[in-house]
Each structure stands twice: as structure tokens, then as C-alpha cells.
Amino acid sequence: MSNEKRTMKRNEIDEKYKWAINDIYATDEKWYEDLEKLKGYTKKIPSYKGKLSQSADLLYEYFRMSDQISLLCDSLINYAQRKSDEDTTVAKYQNMTGQITNVMMYINSAGSFETPEIIAIEQTRLEEMFRQKPELELYRRELELIRSKKDHVLSEAEEKIIALTSEMGESAENIYSMFSDADLKFPDAVDKDGKSHQVTHSTYIPLVQSSDRVLRKSAFESMYSTYDSFKNTCAATLGAQIKTVNFYSKARNYKDSLEASLSDNEIPTQVYHNLISAVHDNLHYMYDYVALRKKLLCVDELHFYDLYTPVVSDFDIQINFEQAKETVLKALEPMGEDYLKIIREGFDNRWIDVYENQGKTSGAYSAGARVHPYVLLNHKDTLNCMFTLIHEMGHAVHSYLSNKNQPVCYSDYSIFVAEVASTCNEALLMRYLLKNAADKKEKAYLINYFLEMFRTTLYRQTMFAEFELKINELVAQGESLTAQTLNEMYLDLNKLYFGDGIVPDRQISLEWARIPHFYYDYYVYQYATGIAAAIALSSRILSQGESAVKDYIGFLSGGCSKDPISLLRGAGVDMATPKPINDALKVFGDLIKEMDELYS
């Protein structure tokens, strides 16, 4: 008989562990009433076409209407999507999600005249409108952001052609997703006792985390030998994606694809280059870590399939949800009572959907609804799940404060800063746990956990970012992305980032083929900048106390009222310089020394 716990049905879970979805709509009928209100805007929006420059009153009315639409969409989307995620087998809520998605598509289409009309307004005329209607000042930044795209907005006919290519533009990502997620199958891995283990995308990491080195190697070879068999298909698909990205950047008159991508979040390209340069300057810490891992695993040679297994064996921390909440509150005490009050409000008023149930969507996330944030967990009694809780509550507080302190038009924050608040919380939790570790083994286990955050998030994601930049540059120069070119480039980067202390396994040259983020258009660098900013901010909070907390709360309350770099500067971190990356990696270096001393 299996010892595994049966996954509960949703109606078997105590209400206190389910999120209070009825805080948005008391009934489904109320949702449908608001959906009809939203549909009404598809007819109202076109009435403004050709009139945005006619009067300050009309322009102000239009933006006020946009805010009302945003509020409706926020409630409609959150209710339908959260209900759908509670149990993905319930077709009704999948259908409701589809309905709101379709209505939003019609609304976006109806308002397609907005950008070209606003760009066409003469600056002198716009300033006159601000004087005529002082209330319009609220939307000055939003108007300036739209107008900043002037050099990259095409004629009406050209924009229509670009719009018609949008579905084709997603083809490479869609093809890759179907190939990698649906069609690709991997041979079973075999452990030291000859037992077979299924290899899938979801089982791969647990397999290479195993203490059984035979199993780790077998899973590694299973994964990459399979991608090797399809390397030319993968190369052609990734090549098509990069060509698409470069096409759109050229069509919209950007210097290159990097500028085109980062401009959407108001991020200077120098931030991207600074990240890569700073990590290169600190690769000696990674080489030290590789040497330490080899030493602690007691292996003659360290291979890439040895990178994920814990160096501290036979240790586990069991933490139930109630204990996790208590620890989170203690770890966040440096943030002050105002911050803790929000966390307690979330804990006490059912912001969180805690446990797994049959049909519930996997993973974890925070959704920043206007009524209050909603946090989805699938909690198990593990250290990792406690980190997930504090991570998602960091997002939740960020959304809560931005929504409370910013008008609708500036309440949403940029993806560039999204991971800062969550990772800052994780860093504070780790500092608390290390300070209160019961013994040497627990401390070593925690340090290993922290070291892996740095390796996988700061170093590895920067390596991904550098690879993505290189392949974009090759395509921009008219080169083809062949499997051989991609393999050689990727292997060389692994040698650079991990050094001579690890065997350059040929299979790792295929890793690029299994990374879906290369289809997300310069997305991964934000994981690395996010952890660097978070480490800097958490260190500042712990060392400077109340003044640093005040600056940090100001950042969390800022939404998108300023560009992301300016918001972070206000919190005391300048991501336009390499300093936060250098400082974060020094912490990594100090942790390596501490770990080494524990085992010396």
C-alpha cells in the first residue's frame, strides 16, 4: 500500500486555507453583470476616434474612461482566472476566462487609434491642453510614454501590416512549445540498482538532485542525448525566433533588438551590458564555488550533472504552514510594523490559497487584484515551500502598496522590478534562518540553499542573457544559427562561467535547446538584476534600519509612477551601475568562505 497522501478534493479543504475569491464578486452572476458593462465600452471607445486633440476635456474623458475599463478588467480577469485555477477541470471558469479575453481583444482593437492620435498632437498644443484642464496633469507621464514611441510608430498602412504578422510572429515559440512540451519523449534514467525512473521536464531536476550519482548521470544523458537527436530542428526553430525579433526591431527603427526589447520597460541597454561585465569581473567566486562543491561531494571529477545535488546530505527541515507563517513574520521584523501589518492582513483574511487539491493549477504565484492580492500555493511542509510563501507575499505587498498609493494608471509595476520585492523577502528569511541555525549541519544546509540561489539566478541567468545577446548579434550580422554554431558558443560560455574545475561535458552544449526563455525576447536578465537589487536592498535594510525601510516602502508604493531605475534609486540602489551586482557577488564569495570554514 502506498504511503503517499491522497490529493484532496477542493470541498475537503478547510475554508480558512482557501482564498476569499468572493471579495471580488459575491456570485458568478455579478461577474456577468460587469462583463456586460465592459462590452458596452467596445461601442463607446470608437466615439473618441479623431477627437483626442480637439479639446482637453475630451482627452481627459478618454483617459478617465481607460481607468474605468482597467478597473473592470482587473476584477473580471482576476475572478475568472482565480476560479479557473482553483480547479482546472471546471469548464465553466475556463469559458469565463475565454470570454473576458475575447472582450479585451475587441477593446484593444477599438482603441487602436489612440497611439497615433496622441503622437500626432503638437507639443505646444498639448501644453495648452494641460493649462486648460489642470486635471489632465495626472496623465502627463502616461502621455509622455506614448509619445516617446514616436520614432518607432509607423504609418497606418504599415502598422496594419505589422498587426497582420503578429500571429506569424508567435510561430517559432508555439512550434518549440509543442515540440518540447508535447512531442518530445526521453528514455528512462537508471539508478545504481538498475531501477528505471521516468525522465520528463518536471522530473529532470529532482533526478539530478539525487544523491545517486549513477542516476544523475543517466538522467543528464537521457535529456541531452534526446535534444542532440533533434538539434537541427531546435536550431532552426530558435533561429526563426531570433530572426522574428530582429525583424520587428528593424521595422520599428530601433538600433537593435536589445534596444527594442528593453525600451518597453524604460531600461537603458547599458544595464544589460553592465550585468554581463560585472559578472565576468566576479567569475572567480564561481570558480571557488565549483572547487568547494567538488571538495564537499568528495569526487575526483566534478561534472555538470553534479551541480544540483545538495552538498549537505541526510538533512531535512519539516515546516508546516502555521510554523512557516510564524517564521516569516519573525524574519520580516526588520521591515517594521507597517509592513508586518499587511502580511498579517493577508494571513488573517484569506489572501492565500494554501494546499493542493485535485485539478488545482500547479506552482505558485501572486496576482495583484485591486480588492487585495491573491496568492496561490501548493504548500508542502518543506523549507522550499516556506521560501515560496515569503517570496509570493513579497509580490503581494508590492501590489498592495502600489494599488493603495497610486492612481489606476500608475498602479502596475514594471516586470524589471517585479522580482525585487519577492527576492528581498527571501534574503531576509535566509539571514534570519542562518542567524538562528541550531547546529553546524543546519547552517551548512541553509548556506548551500543560499549559494544555489546565486548560482542558478545570478550567474546562470546572466550566462543565458549573454548567450541570447550573442545569437541576436549573429543574426543581425546576417549569420545563420546552425546547431554546430549554437553548441560551440554555448559550450564556450559554460567553460567561461564555470572554469577549469568542472569537466566540460559535451552534452551541456545542448542545454540551450531545452531553455524556453530564449523565446521570451530578452527576459532572463531580469532574474539576475532582480536578485542583485534584492540582496543590496536587504543588506541596506539590515544595516541602516528605519531610514532604509522608509526608502524601500517608497519604492514598493511607486507602481510605475517613475521609470524602474529611478524607483530603485529612491530605495538606495542604482541599477544603472555595476555596484549592486558587485556587492551581491561579494556576499556570494563570503558565503563560500563560511561554508568552507564549516567543513575545514
Side-chain angles (χ1 to χ4, degrees):
M1 185 174 177
S2 174
N3 291 323
E4 291 186 8
K5 290 184 179 180
R6 178 182 65 85
T7 301
M8 291 186 289
K9 295 179 180 178
R10 188 159 183 85
N11 61 12
E12 296 174 325
I13 296 175
D14 192 314
E15 287 296 310
K16 70 180 181 180
Y17 296 120
K18 300 176 186 177
W19 52 27
I21 194 65
N22 290 349
D23 288 351
I24 303 179
Y25 292 109
T27 64
D28 292 350
E29 288 69 30
K30 295 290 185 184
W31 185 90
Y32 279 107
E33 287 176 15
D34 267 4
L35 183 67
E36 290 306 310
K37 290 180 186 177
L38 185 65
K39 288 178 179 178
Y41 283 104
T42 61
K43 296 178 181 178
K44 189 174 181 179
I45 292 170
S47 68
Y48 288 87
K49 186 175 182 180
K51 300 176 183 177
L52 295 185
S53 63
Q54 285 184 6
S55 76
D57 285 336
L58 277 173
L59 187 58
Y60 179 72
E61 278 179 22
Y62 181 80
F63 275 98
R64 291 293 292 172
M65 179 184 67
S66 295
D67 287 348
Q68 292 161 9
I69 291 171
S70 294
L71 288 172
L72 268 176
C73 287
D74 179 271
S75 295
L76 288 163
I77 292 166
N78 270 293
Y79 185 83
Q81 189 61 66
R82 304 295 76 79
K83 290 293 288 183
S84 178
D85 288 348
E86 289 175 1
D87 187 346
T88 57
T89 65
V90 180
K92 176 181 182 179
Y93 295 112
Q94 292 181 35
N95 183 48
M96 286 167 69
T97 300
Q99 288 183 66
I100 178 59
T101 301
N102 288 335
V103 175
M104 286 177 62
M105 182 182 67
Y106 285 119
I107 283 174
N108 290 333
S109 177
S112 61
F113 60 87
E114 175 189 304
T115 297
E117 282 197 30
I118 289 172
I119 285 174
I121 300 174
E122 292 292 333
Q123 188 64 37
T124 53
R125 170 60 180 150
L126 188 58
E127 293 300 332
E128 180 185 352
M129 294 168 83
F130 284 127
R131 288 191 295 272
Q132 292 172 345
K133 188 77 172 177
E135 298 94 327
L136 192 58
E137 282 289 344
L138 172 64
Y139 301 103
R140 180 181 282 274
R141 171 165 162 74
E142 189 171 0
L143 284 160
E144 287 175 349
L145 285 173
I146 294 170
R147 290 167 65 79
S148 70
K149 302 291 184 183
K150 182 176 182 179
D151 293 339
H152 310 294
V153 174
L154 310 178
S155 68
E156 185 176 347
E158 289 169 329
E159 286 290 348
K160 186 175 181 180
I161 293 171
I162 291 290
L164 289 171
T165 68
S166 61
E167 191 172 353
M168 288 190 296
E170 297 171 358
S171 295
E173 181 183 355
N174 292 336
I175 291 168
Y176 174 79
S177 178
M178 292 302 296
F179 165 73
S180 186
D181 297 336
D183 294 342
L184 212 54
K185 302 290 183 257
F186 306 97
D188 285 352
V190 179
D191 64 23
K192 59 183 174 57
D193 298 320
K195 182 180 177 182
S196 294
H197 300 259
Q198 186 181 19
V199 178
T200 66
H201 288 299
S202 62
T203 65
Y204 176 70
I205 294 300
L207 288 171
V208 292
Q209 288 175 333
S210 170
S211 60
D212 182 347
R213 201 177 192 206
V214 173
L215 178 58
R216 297 201 303 267
K217 182 180 180 182
S218 180
F220 180 79
E221 291 176 344
S222 167
M223 176 67 66
Y224 292 116
S225 64
T226 303
Y227 276 106
D228 191 26
S229 299
F230 297 97
K231 60 182 178 291
N232 295 313
T233 297
C234 292
T237 309
L238 182 57
Q241 168 67 15
I242 304 305
K243 285 177 183 177
T244 300
V245 169
N246 276 263
F247 164 76
Y248 285 120
S249 67
K250 288 178 182 177
R252 294 204 173 279
N253 303 310
Y254 285 98
K255 175 186 173 184
D256 53 31
S257 59
L258 181 65
E259 182 187 61
S261 178
L262 269 59
S263 68
D264 286 342
N265 285 325
E266 301 179 89
I267 305 299
T269 56
Q270 192 58 41
V271 170
Y272 199 100
H273 293 293
N274 281 346
L275 170 67
I276 295 172
S277 177
V279 170
H280 280 196
D281 291 341
N282 290 279
L283 285 173
H284 58 283
Y285 291 132
M286 177 54 76
Y287 303 157
D288 290 343
Y289 177 66
V290 167
L292 177 63
R293 174 167 275 273
K294 180 181 177 182
K295 171 185 170 181
L296 296 182
L297 288 177
C298 301
V299 293
D300 295 328
E301 291 182 335
L302 190 75
H303 289 263
F304 277 92
Y305 50 79
D306 296 320
L307 284 176
Y308 289 90
T309 187
V311 295
V312 181
S313 58
D314 301 323
F315 188 85
D316 191 21
I317 301 176
Q318 291 291 309
I319 309 155
N320 66 39
F321 185 66
E322 298 303 326
Q323 292 169 329
K325 289 195 297 182
E326 290 177 14
T327 303
V328 162
L329 287 168
K330 289 176 183 176
L332 293 175
E333 283 179 0
M335 293 296 300
E337 187 54 36
D338 288 345
Y339 190 95
L340 289 174
K341 184 179 178 182
I342 301 170
I343 297 288
R344 291 193 194 98
E345 184 177 341
F347 287 169
D348 297 341
N349 292 285
R350 296 174 52 209
W351 290 7
I352 309 171
D353 206 80
V354 181
Y355 295 114
E356 180 182 12
N357 60 252
Q358 292 178 23
K360 183 177 177 180
T361 197
S362 61
Y365 64 69
S366 175
R370 296 290 300 192
V371 63
H372 61 68
Y374 286 85
V375 171
L376 180 136
L377 304 175
N378 282 276
H379 188 84
K380 305 291 190 294
D381 296 343
T382 65
L383 176 69
N384 185 60
C385 283
M386 181 165 69
F387 271 94
T388 300
L389 171 62
I390 203 168
H391 178 105
E392 298 304 341
M393 289 307 292
H395 285 307
V397 175
H398 194 178
S399 297
Y400 178 89
L401 287 171
S402 287
N403 283 334
K404 290 293 183 183
N405 290 281
Q406 295 299 324
V408 175
C409 54
Y410 303 128
S411 60
D412 195 15
Y413 46 81
S414 164
I415 189 66
F416 182 82
V417 300
E419 293 301 323
V420 173
S422 54
T423 312
C424 182
N425 273 11
E426 287 195 66
L428 290 171
L429 175 58
M430 180 56 73
R431 294 294 191 186
Y432 172 81
L433 293 173
L434 285 171
K435 184 179 178 180
N436 294 279
D439 53 38
K440 171 183 170 179
K441 196 161 192 178
E442 180 177 349
K443 191 169 188 178
Y445 180 86
L446 292 167
I447 291 174
N448 176 70
Y449 192 99
F450 208 6
L451 288 171
E452 280 298 282
M453 280 179 61
F454 280 93
R455 180 185 74 79
T456 58
T457 307
L458 221 167
Y459 280 103
R460 189 166 182 255
Q461 299 297 334
T462 301
M463 185 180 75
F464 287 172
E466 185 170 359
F467 177 74
E468 188 172 4
L469 181 63
K470 285 178 177 292
I471 60 179
N472 271 274
E473 289 173 344
L474 278 180
V475 168
Q477 295 163 10
E479 301 288 334
S480 295
L481 297 183
T482 65
Q484 181 178 348
T485 299
L486 293 168
N487 284 356
E488 290 174 355
M489 184 187 301
Y490 197 82
L491 184 60
D492 286 345
L493 282 172
N494 273 276
K495 290 177 180 178
L496 171 65
Y497 276 73
F498 291 95
D500 297 331
I502 192 167
V503 176
D505 299 299
R506 182 189 64 81
Q507 292 95 332
I508 200 64
S509 66
L510 270 300
E511 188 181 41
W512 60 267
R514 63 172 283 258
I515 307 300
H517 295 74
F518 293 142
Y519 293 82
Y520 298 174
D521 189 13
Y522 292 107
Y523 187 90
V524 293
Y525 84 100
Q526 296 167 121
Y527 292 121
T529 55
I531 191 174
I535 295 297
L537 287 167
S538 61
S539 297
R540 190 170 186 263
I541 288 164
L542 291 172
S543 63
Q544 297 181 25
E546 188 176 342
S547 62
V549 170
K550 182 180 178 182
D551 291 340
Y552 183 65
I553 295 297
F555 156 70
L556 295 180
S557 303
C560 60
S561 59
K562 297 179 182 178
D563 67 87
I565 301 299
S566 296
L567 285 168
L568 284 168
R569 279 198 191 108
V573 176
D574 190 353
M575 293 307 296
T577 73
K579 188 177 186 305
I581 296 106
N582 290 328
D583 290 349
L585 291 175
K586 185 179 183 305
V587 173
F588 180 62
D590 291 342
L591 287 166
I592 293 169
K593 289 179 183 177
E594 190 174 356
M595 186 74 152
D596 198 14
E597 289 169 0
L598 280 173
Y599 283 90
S600 295

